[in-house]
Amino acid sequence: MSNAWMIVATREIVVRALNKGFLIGLVVTMAMIGGLIGFTAYLDGRTQSFDVAVVQSDESAATALESAAAEAASDDRKIELSVVRVDSSAAAEAALDEETADAWLSSAAATGTDGWTLSGWREPDMELTQLIETTVRDQVLAGHAADAGTTMDALTAGSEVETERLDGNPVDPQIVFVAGFVLAFLFFMGTVGSGAMIAGSVIEEKQSRLVEIIATAVPLRQLLAGKIIGSSVIALGQNLLLAAVGLIGASFTDLSAILPAMTTTMLWFVVFFTVGFVAVAALYAVAGSLASRTEDLQYTTSPLMMLLMGVYVVTFSADGMLERVLSYVPPASIVSMPVRVLNGDALWWEPLVSLLILVVTTFGAVLLAERAYRGALMQTGGRVTWKSALAADRGTTLGA
């Protein structure tokens, strides 16, 4: 049967697509991604309101608060300030205690010290503190400038600092870090989840002796190819769906400005993942064939699990030279190279070279896995080692 692999692949896709556990996990993951993006959009869009107390006699503090409120409104900082005038310091403390005020601002003149004080029943909000600090600094400087017979513009002339990124990439480093984490997560979830399904499918057929019947009608090479292709289609479809949900959700947040760069990165990730997962799927199929019972899978899949976990942990936290090296080392390159593309750190030819290395590595891994798979699949006396599986296949080939 020249097209037997297509039948096997179709069966793998249908069985996996109808698996309740897989569908529930996929829906839950999509809901988590959507919920996280929705929560982020809510935090980005909400306006924080603060009631700041000031003593009636402290005109400097009242003026500063009015200026801060005006500045927050003009700069679209999503902060609203309301001035709560009280009769005395004791009344201001009571307002904080009763939570009718979020903070209390006192000028240097009111406190009798050299500095201003922003008090809170607990630690004052960081954004509120930064806003008031900036406003107070400008107000004090303007007063000193007036005393010196000059102006603020004259004092601050030539002090503006502009930022410039020479590679022209507008993506913030924090966004790159988050993207690295997301890609590493998609890689780990896709490889481990789909890989475990392959190993489970192989051991199920082997333990029930069904594979002996299948092998009489389907060459083992095509059986392996069908399992790899079928599970690769499922894993790729899962990641495409999750990536689409993420990109669509990001379009409703402040990340929409860099959506083209993120889309390019996702496309590179899909290409790298598609190639790399073929090798992972082949190795998981071998892990299933090395086992004789379902209980053996934990032992035979542990090396792969440790490798994939290591890639997950290292790739999203890698930086500098380590990230450059990992972007050429399979399977870490599946994550690291797309992250470098997003960061603007990779030249146009680097992803192509890295992809070529991944293709060659995948080809070698599949050839090795095929030999081990054929050598181990029919052995049912206990766990089989890679060495004995390869030796059994060599003996079968020589005997033929």
Side-chain angles (χ1 to χ4, degrees):
M1 295 180 65
S2 59
N3 62 341
W5 64 268
M6 293 181 60
I7 299 175
V8 177
T10 302
R11 177 182 178 276
E12 291 291 321
I13 294 172
V14 172
V15 170
R16 181 74 182 275
L18 297 180
N19 183 277
K20 289 184 178 179
F22 169 74
L23 293 176
I24 292 174
L26 181 60
V27 171
V28 170
T29 304
M30 291 173 59
M32 289 175 58
I33 294 174
L36 179 61
I37 293 175
F39 181 69
T40 303
Y42 165 74
L43 291 180
D44 291 341
R46 69 172 183 152
T47 298
Q48 292 181 283
S49 299
F50 298 99
D51 296 321
V52 183
V54 63
V55 177
Q56 290 277 11
S57 58
D58 194 354
E59 289 299 330
S60 296
T63 302
L65 286 178
E66 291 170 356
S67 299
E71 181 179 346
S74 63
D75 292 349
D76 192 24
R77 294 197 184 191
K78 295 184 174 60
I79 294 179
E80 291 181 353
L81 291 186
S82 298
V83 181
V84 179
R85 293 182 178 270
V86 295
D87 296 329
S88 62
S89 298
E93 291 184 15
L96 294 178
D97 184 19
E98 296 168 1
E99 297 185 350
T100 57
D102 300 298
W104 165 30
L105 181 63
S106 304
S107 66
T111 59
T113 62
D114 294 333
W116 293 51
T117 303
L118 182 64
S119 305
W121 196 250
R122 300 174 185 83
E123 187 70 23
D125 182 84
M126 183 178 297
E127 291 189 22
L128 173 64
T129 301
Q130 292 175 346
L131 174 62
I132 291 180
E133 282 179 347
T134 301
T135 305
V136 168
R137 186 181 301 113
D138 291 344
Q139 183 171 312
V140 171
L141 284 174
H144 291 333
D147 294 339
T150 185
T151 63
M152 275 285 291
D153 292 338
L155 287 176
T156 59
S159 63
E160 295 82 3
V161 177
E162 294 183 357
T163 59
E164 179 184 17
R165 181 167 176 168
L166 296 180
D167 63 6
N169 190 27
V171 183
D172 186 270
Q174 291 184 347
I175 296 177
V176 174
F177 177 81
V178 172
F181 175 80
V182 171
L183 294 185
F185 174 75
L186 290 176
F187 164 81
F188 181 74
M189 186 177 66
T191 53
V192 173
S194 297
M197 290 290 290
I198 299 172
S201 173
V202 172
I203 187 57
E204 181 182 345
E205 294 172 353
K206 182 177 179 179
Q207 192 172 5
S208 65
R209 299 296 180 92
L210 179 62
V211 69
E212 296 178 8
I213 301 175
I214 297 176
T216 60
V218 180
L220 295 185
R221 175 176 296 176
Q222 293 204 33
L223 179 61
L224 176 62
K227 288 186 175 295
I228 292 175
I229 294 172
S231 48
S232 296
V233 169
I234 288 292
L236 178 60
Q238 174 181 283
N239 274 347
L240 281 173
L241 184 59
L242 296 179
V245 170
L247 291 174
I248 293 173
S251 66
F252 295 98
T253 69
D254 292 342
L255 297 178
S256 58
I258 60 168
L259 206 55
M262 294 179 64
T263 302
T264 301
T265 296
M266 279 297 184
L267 290 176
W268 274 115
F269 172 73
V270 167
V271 172
F272 272 77
F273 181 86
T274 301
V275 175
F277 183 77
V278 171
V280 174
L283 295 175
Y284 261 106
V286 174
S289 68
L290 294 177
S292 293
R293 302 175 304 161
T294 303
E295 293 79 4
D296 297 334
L297 282 180
Q298 184 175 0
Y299 176 84
T300 59
T301 59
S302 289
L304 268 175
M305 176 69 76
M306 293 176 62
L307 172 64
L308 298 176
M309 177 64 77
V311 172
Y312 168 69
V313 172
V314 173
T315 49
F316 81 81
S317 58
D319 195 11
M321 182 56 68
L322 176 60
E323 186 176 51
R324 288 187 177 88
V325 173
L326 290 177
S327 66
Y328 288 99
V329 179
S333 58
I334 298 174
V335 177
S336 293
M337 184 54 78
V339 171
R340 287 189 60 202
V341 171
L342 179 63
N343 194 36
D345 185 37
L347 299 176
W348 67 268
W349 53 266
E350 291 189 76
L352 300 177
V353 173
S354 178
L355 183 60
L356 178 60
I357 295 173
L358 182 61
V359 169
V360 173
T361 304
T362 297
F363 183 74
V366 170
L367 290 181
L368 181 64
E370 181 201 354
R371 290 182 53 197
Y373 179 79
R374 290 188 305 181
L377 192 60
M378 297 303 179
Q379 298 188 44
T380 58
R383 284 200 304 262
V384 184
T385 64
W386 271 84
K387 183 178 180 180
S388 60
L390 292 173
D393 177 70
R394 187 181 303 112
T396 301
T397 304
L398 292 175

